[in-house]
Amino acid sequence: MNTALNLVNVTLEYPDGDSTLKALDNVNLKLAAGEFLSLVGPSGSGKSSLLAVAATLVRPTAGLVVIGGIDAGGLSEAERTSLRRDRIGIIFQQPNLLPSLTALEQLVIRDHLRGKPAREATHRAAALLDLVGLGPAAGKRPHQLSGGQRQRVNIARALMGDPAVLLVDEPTAALDHDRSEAIVRLLRQVTDEFGVATVMVTHDTGFVPLTDTVAGMRDGLLSALQPVSPALA
């Protein structure tokens, strides 16, 4: 399988008074297309920093960030923005949907910003909403959707480009168990169907069996990836 995400000797440091805080400490991570990783660890361990670096939102102090074979370190800011828009899907804990737009419009505007024709964007958006089970709710605005439905719109929106990588930050934090399981199963489905490399930060280890591998973080250090037993259907 092709490598979709490759972090090589990534270190991220921040000034901290007279000293330096090391948020990431020589992190190495390689994920193949279609691989689903659970990333677990206590608060402050570096999980969010890893997602920010992998999303090209933050430049590492040292090391390489390679997305779909493209070295992000050698790109200009404009090129990094294009890479992030076209090849990286980011799913935050809060969906951050625009209140005035319908579910369909939330997706279409993403492609509009990428310069895609409106008809093509609308067709793809409708197909993605069908995929995540929200076809009948395409005309609803965020206040008319449940928390789980808003997160499904968030997932569909992240797939509007041609992502090589999905970066998911605590997608079930505000949901009950049943809705949380449905969201993680949906992430499993889109990982398989779209062949993306998915990194899911989670505190709920009960959903780890729905993923392929698991790794832990502590004090900026990433443990080796371990395979997990597949979940029961």
Side-chain angles (χ1 to χ4, degrees):
M1 275 192 178
N2 295 331
T3 298
L5 173 64
N6 195 12
L7 306 183
V8 183
N9 299 328
V10 168
T11 294
L12 179 63
E13 297 177 337
Y14 294 110
D16 185 25
D18 295 331
S19 61
T20 300
L21 174 66
K22 190 170 285 189
L24 297 175
D25 189 356
N26 201 41
V27 166
N28 289 278
L29 173 62
K30 182 181 288 188
L31 281 187
E35 185 174 356
F36 192 172
L37 167 68
S38 292
L39 185 60
V40 300
S43 296
S45 61
K47 304 186 304 298
S48 294
S49 293
L50 188 151
L51 287 188
V53 167
T56 73
L57 293 168
V58 175
R59 288 185 183 269
T61 307
L64 298 177
V65 177
V66 183
I67 306 293
I70 300 172
D71 179 3
L75 302 180
S76 67
E77 286 301 324
E79 289 169 335
R80 284 159 61 88
T81 298
S82 294
L83 175 67
R84 187 162 55 246
R85 184 182 60 222
D86 297 338
R87 302 294 285 149
I88 303 171
I90 304 174
I91 301 170
F92 295 109
Q93 184 178 132
Q94 298 297 326
N96 296 321
L97 303 179
L98 297 171
S100 62
L101 299 184
T102 66
L104 184 72
E105 291 166 344
Q106 306 283 344
L107 277 61
V108 171
I109 195 172
R110 169 96 184 245
D111 262 14
H112 175 71
L113 294 173
R114 295 169 59 235
K116 290 296 184 69
R119 180 177 296 181
E120 178 183 332
T122 300
H123 179 76
R124 179 166 176 79
L128 286 171
L129 288 176
D130 281 339
L131 174 71
V132 301
L134 283 183
K140 292 186 177 181
R141 290 177 169 80
H143 74 276
Q144 298 171 302
L145 301 173
S146 69
Q149 288 174 323
R150 288 193 292 272
Q151 194 60 285
R152 287 172 179 269
V153 174
N154 198 19
I155 293 169
R157 182 174 59 181
L159 294 168
M160 276 297 285
D162 183 24
V165 176
L166 277 183
L167 303 172
V168 190
D169 188 12
E170 293 284 358
T172 64
L175 304 177
D176 62 29
H177 181 271
D178 288 345
R179 289 183 175 88
S180 294
E181 181 175 345
I183 289 298
V184 179
R185 287 189 180 277
L186 177 58
L187 289 169
R188 170 78 271 173
Q189 178 186 347
V190 300
T191 299
D192 295 338
E193 290 191 15
F194 286 81
V196 295
T198 299
V199 180
M200 179 180 70
V201 167
T202 182
H203 282 101
D204 195 335
T205 57
F207 298 124
V208 168
L210 288 168
T211 65
D212 300 308
T213 49
V214 60
M217 287 207 76
R218 184 175 293 274
D219 299 328
L221 295 167
L222 180 69
S223 69
L225 273 60
Q226 300 292 328
V228 297
S229 300
L232 296 176

